[in-house]
Amino acid sequence: MAFFISEEQSGFPPVSLADPDGLLAIGGSLTFDRLKTAYRQGIFPWYNEGEPVCWYCPDPRFVLLPERISVSHTMKRLLKKEAFEFTVDTAFAEVVKRCRHTKRKDKAGSWITDEIENAYNVLHQKDLAHSSEVWKDGRLVGGLYGVQMGNVFFGESMFSLESNASKFAFIKHVERMKTEGVLLIDCQVYTPHLESLGAEFIPRKSFVNLLEKLID
């Protein structure tokens, strides 16, 4: 059973108490301090429009160790010829908006609400959330955003308007993360797209232990 969090509460229950789907708590709002506390513990918000804020910490956890990224021959060719222009933090708000409104092959609706969009723009303004973008002929065609704390990057969402644009953005993003000393990229939940790039499951306990070591 999920725990209820009042607006006044700043902390969360132990993540080991999450239900089988990873739902740990319900309630509260997406303040800067609460989000910062959540990510330190491996907890993230995930809910639909019209629902209260739901906080998750699934077991197992889907992650990517940067040194284990898998790059296909097709992507190696695209990277070598620089098929897209790559930038960092030049269009954060637009990346979040694109992640929210770009239609996906699985036709699933976006979980990015007005509240989510506004909250992560604040995180970006406070230098906690960052984006990577790819461009073609001056047009934003792919990108991703997430939260970086210490040597961990928590990926939130990505989008693509051109074939392989999101893969290009992700691979370039991981390359940059390596140079910044990031040792763990949290993918949160399983997708075949990220599995093809080398993401894997690890036990939640192992994930939380890594966070304690890698976040200052």
Side-chain angles (χ1 to χ4, degrees), residues 46 48 98-111 157-160 189-194:
W46 192 23
N48 295 316
R98 292 283 186 178
C99 287
R100 178 178 183 177
H101 295 293
T102 299
K103 292 183 179 179
R104 305 177 188 278
K105 290 181 180 179
D106 59 10
K107 297 183 181 179
S110 174
W111 54 271
S157 187
M158 61 174 64
F159 80 97
S160 181
V189 295
Y190 173 84
T191 70
H193 180 70
L194 290 172

Side-chain angles (χ1 to χ4, degrees), residues 108-179:
S110 174
W111 54 271
I112 301 175
T113 63
D114 287 343
E115 188 177 20
I116 289 278
E117 192 170 345
N118 294 334
Y120 284 82
N121 278 315
V122 171
L123 293 187
H124 175 63
Q125 292 161 12
K126 292 181 178 288
D127 203 35
L128 199 64
H130 302 277
S131 63
S132 290
E133 308 92 18
V134 292
W135 310 77
K136 188 172 184 180
D137 300 326
R139 185 170 70 99
L140 181 64
V141 294
L144 61 92
Y145 76 95
V147 171
Q148 187 171 348
M149 298 181 73
N151 293 327
V152 181
F153 182 84
F154 301 87
E156 280 298 316
S157 187
M158 61 174 64
F159 80 97
S160 181
L161 300 180
E162 294 267 347
S163 179
N164 293 314
S166 62
K167 284 187 177 182
F168 190 99
F170 186 79
I171 293 166
K172 294 288 285 186
H173 175 79
V174 173
E175 290 177 353
R176 183 175 69 86
M177 291 290 96
K178 286 181 183 178
T179 67

Side-chain angles (χ1 to χ4, degrees), residues 2 24-25 39 61 77 102 105 148 152 171 177 184 197 213:
L24 176 66
Y39 278 102
R61 192 67 164 238
R77 288 195 295 271
T102 299
K105 290 181 180 179
Q148 187 171 348
V152 181
I171 293 166
M177 291 290 96
L184 178 66
L197 290 164
K213 295 175 183 177

Side-chain angles (χ1 to χ4, degrees), residues 64-72 75-88 132 134 144 148 153 166-185 197:
L64 176 77
L65 303 178
E67 71 273 13
R68 294 187 187 176
I69 188 169
S70 176
V71 183
S72 68
M75 291 309 303
K76 285 179 180 177
R77 288 195 295 271
L78 291 175
L79 290 162
K80 186 175 182 180
K81 72 176 187 179
E82 298 182 345
F84 303 98
E85 179 189 357
F86 177 77
T87 60
V88 175
S132 290
V134 292
L144 61 92
Q148 187 171 348
F153 182 84
S166 62
K167 284 187 177 182
F168 190 99
F170 186 79
I171 293 166
K172 294 288 285 186
H173 175 79
V174 173
E175 290 177 353
R176 183 175 69 86
M177 291 290 96
K178 286 181 183 178
T179 67
E180 295 185 3
V182 168
L183 299 175
L184 178 66
I185 294 176
L197 290 164

Side-chain angles (χ1 to χ4, degrees), residues 37-49:
T37 297
Y39 278 102
R40 280 188 174 275
Q41 296 178 238
I43 302 164
F44 59 89
W46 192 23
Y47 61 102
N48 295 316
E49 192 78 56

